[in-house]
Amino acid sequence: MTPLQTLSGALEVDTDCGRDLKAFARDVHSGLFSNPKRLSCRYFYDAEGSLLFERICRLPEYYPTEAEKMALEEHSSEIADLYPAPPTVVELGSGSSYKTRVLLDSILSRHGSARYVPIDISPSILRQTAQDLTARYSGLRVTPLIGEYEEGLGRLEKEPGTGRLFLWLGSSIGNLDRDEASRFLLRLRAGLTPSDRLLVGIDLRKDPDVIAAAYNDSLGVTSRFNLNILSRINRELRGDFDTNTFRHQAIYEEAEGRVRMYLVSMREQSVPIVDLGVEIPFRAGEAIHTEDSYKYSPAEIHALAANADLVLSRHWLDSGGRFSLNLFSRR
């Protein structure tokens, strides 16, 4: 990650677009020649994908955003009071920081100042968010980092710091299977000091019809969000996907507690990707797996903490009991 620029003495942005494009090309090639075919959900979030996801978060069917925001509104003062001095707040996958502002309001009200380090892979969304926050909060120093989670965290490990609050909201942990989630939290734990805390938003198991509707909205925004990954291949790798010949599919598997998302080819076809020098064959009905979203029971959350050698010190729900905020610390 190399410095790009600093704005108003408070905005520091890192990026390396050439390296990111090479990684995208490598992963697309590998994923589309796999059996079954797959594309990583990390590539949803280019500028267009990030805007579509912001629209998803405001859909009536997509309950996680509003439920998590409600939980933050009810408990952000408790979280702010845990810190005797102004904390550094580090957020993984920050996006527009829509819900995070609730927590920043409480922290600034309690302490008067704070540092906020949003980490995200979308330069355009992150830049706009950082500018909005520095304009809104005079006591907030914003230091955004563009990149994958572990890149940003690696940068932070070089800085001395204690009493930090790490945020991983939006049930992003659900994109990892349960073993991967434990391993990722274990890696996060290695960078925590005894006075640091980690706040993780985790979606809960619930009525399967409610979950299914959240990923199959009536306006089709989630469908466009899923299909955008094919449009991104067209834009960045000179692919020739006709998105009208693929359909979005999201299935909730109750026994596994997960939603699986796919893009399904509606006919037999062959798609050239010029920059990869390949043509990708598809059978009629063949699917590309794009995302999983795991839901948790309270017992599974406790097991997650134990497997990552973390202490679950606080556990809050929204008033409807749909979504959980979980505060972890080092054992």
Side-chain angles (χ1 to χ4, degrees), residues 136-212:
R136 175 171 176 168
Y137 298 111
S138 60
L140 187 66
R141 180 186 171 206
V142 183
T143 311
L145 296 175
I146 298 173
E148 301 283 350
Y149 297 163
E150 297 198 31
E151 292 178 289
L153 292 170
R155 171 84 177 266
L156 288 171
E157 285 176 359
K158 299 173 184 177
E159 301 180 5
T162 59
R164 296 168 297 185
L165 174 61
F166 290 83
L167 305 179
W168 198 16
L169 302 178
S171 199
S172 296
I173 194 171
N175 295 145
L176 306 176
D177 70 33
R178 301 189 197 282
D179 288 340
E180 290 171 338
S182 294
R183 289 195 296 270
F184 185 75
L185 289 184
L186 194 60
R187 291 197 297 274
L188 282 181
R189 180 199 176 282
L192 299 180
T193 71
S195 58
D196 290 337
R197 294 173 178 86
L198 170 64
L199 185 69
V200 182
I202 302 179
D203 197 9
L204 300 175
R205 291 178 181 257
K206 59 182 67 63
D207 183 341
D209 290 339
V210 172
I211 294 174

Side-chain angles (χ1 to χ4, degrees), residues 46-108:
D46 64 347
E48 178 66 16
S50 295
L51 289 173
L52 285 168
F53 187 69
E54 292 301 319
R55 287 189 61 192
I56 288 171
C57 290
R58 289 163 172 77
L59 292 170
E61 296 100 328
Y62 193 74
Y63 64 85
T65 300
E66 194 56 37
E68 186 173 40
K69 184 171 180 285
M70 184 182 299
L72 284 167
E73 288 171 342
E74 293 171 356
H75 303 291
S76 61
S77 293
E78 294 175 58
I79 297 169
D81 288 344
L82 294 173
Y83 291 86
T88 290
V89 180
V90 180
E91 182 168 11
L92 308 182
S94 56
S96 68
S97 304
Y98 165 69
K99 293 166 294 187
T100 313
R101 297 172 198 224
V102 174
L103 183 56
L104 293 175
D105 284 336
S106 291
I107 288 172
L108 290 169

Side-chain angles (χ1 to χ4, degrees), residues 173 178 181-182 185-186 200 202-205 295-317 324-329 331:
I173 194 171
R178 301 189 197 282
S182 294
L185 289 184
L186 194 60
V200 182
I202 302 179
D203 197 9
L204 300 175
R205 291 178 181 257
K295 314 305 175 183
Y296 282 74
S297 67
E300 287 169 330
I301 294 174
H302 281 280
L304 180 69
N307 290 338
D309 199 25
L310 291 168
V311 174
L312 178 60
S313 54
R314 303 286 180 93
H315 174 77
W316 299 287
L317 304 179
S324 65
L325 292 174
N326 304 273
L327 192 69
F328 299 104
S329 58
R331 186 175 298 280

